[in-house]
Amino acid sequence: MDLMGRDSILQLRDMLQAAQPQDDSSDDEPSSSRPMAQMGPADVGPKKKPEKTALPTAPKPPTKDIWDEEEVATGAEYEDVLDPRPQPEYDVIFKQAVTSEDMFLQMGNKNLSSASCEDMVVKIKLPGHKSSEVELDVTDKFLDCRTPKYKLGLHLPHPVDSKNGRAQWVQDQETLVVTLRMVRDLDFVNF
């Protein structure tokens, strides 16, 4: 099996001989006249092109705001460092609507991953409380639950439809179950 033709080998030999000087110095002595001896780490790889300067953007109208909206994290208004209330135990569970076609015939594109889930269920354990003592506030990316003893500020892993959620108080377990429909960019692909 011939990987390189005779002409390719001869051209390679000529290139290597052109790179090496024809002097009689030994390989043990470093020579600054050799081109490889003058190279440094910055010479490896393609040469850098000059950077293009960015076009100036239109100036923003002057406001009296201290921060831009992008600089403030979602839910930062709920975080209170000086609040001594502990965080309750909670679980975030992903839920999907599965039909017999999905289960037995595997006709849909649903799989076991959370990408195929439609709902997010947050179970918050609040022992020693009644449903009337619970304050719940849900935005698209943040859940805030407060009671006289506990405080939970939870950044949600996916954006949700905060207007159409459902909360249920389970009295015997003293647990608040919040079911939220997830809103993701590529849901039309998964369902």
Side-chain angles (χ1 to χ4, degrees):
M1 178 189 304
D2 188 20
L3 296 177
M4 298 176 68
R6 180 178 182 271
D7 295 333
S8 299
I9 294 174
L10 293 175
Q11 289 175 353
L12 180 62
R13 183 196 65 184
D14 294 340
M15 286 186 342
L16 292 174
Q17 286 179 350
Q20 295 177 354
Q22 298 296 333
D23 62 336
D24 294 334
S25 64
S26 66
D27 289 339
D28 296 337
E29 299 175 8
S31 172
S32 60
S33 64
R34 293 183 181 178
M36 297 303 279
Q38 296 173 352
M39 290 180 66
D43 295 325
V44 176
K47 300 295 179 195
K48 291 186 177 182
K49 296 178 183 176
E51 295 181 16
K52 296 180 181 177
T53 58
L55 297 174
T57 59
K60 294 183 179 179
T63 62
K64 293 187 177 186
D65 295 338
I66 297 173
W67 295 284
D68 290 336
E69 286 186 28
E70 303 90 41
E71 295 176 336
V72 179
T74 304
E77 64 270 14
Y78 300 108
E79 295 176 7
D80 186 8
V81 180
L82 302 175
D83 193 353
R85 293 181 287 181
Q87 178 175 308
E89 289 184 38
Y90 68 92
D91 290 322
V92 178
I93 302 168
F94 295 101
K95 177 179 162 184
Q96 53 177 257
V98 180
T99 64
S100 59
E101 292 175 348
D102 297 324
M103 188 72 172
F104 299 111
L105 302 176
Q106 297 176 353
M107 294 177 68
N109 353 334
K110 290 190 178 184
N111 55 26
L112 300 176
S113 71
S114 64
S116 296
C117 296
E118 294 94 6
D119 296 323
M120 181 186 320
V121 179
V122 181
K123 295 183 178 182
I124 307 168
K125 297 178 183 176
L126 300 167
H129 288 287
K130 298 177 185 174
S131 62
S132 61
E133 299 174 330
V134 177
E135 293 178 26
L136 181 66
D137 185 23
V138 179
T139 62
D140 292 344
K141 295 183 181 181
F142 193 78
L143 180 138
D144 180 38
C145 179
R146 295 175 187 237
T147 65
K149 294 182 186 176
Y150 296 105
K151 178 189 82 162
L152 175 65
L154 180 64
H155 293 276
L156 300 173
H158 298 285
V160 297
D161 183 8
S162 60
K163 306 286 186 223
N164 297 320
R166 187 177 75 231
Q168 179 183 7
W169 178 256
V170 181
Q171 182 63 38
D172 58 337
Q173 297 177 358
E174 296 179 326
T175 302
L176 179 65
V177 179
V178 183
T179 304
L180 303 165
R181 177 67 61 157
M182 290 189 286
V183 178
R184 294 176 289 198
D185 294 335
L186 299 175
D187 276 350
F188 66 92
V189 174
N190 293 324
F191 306 118

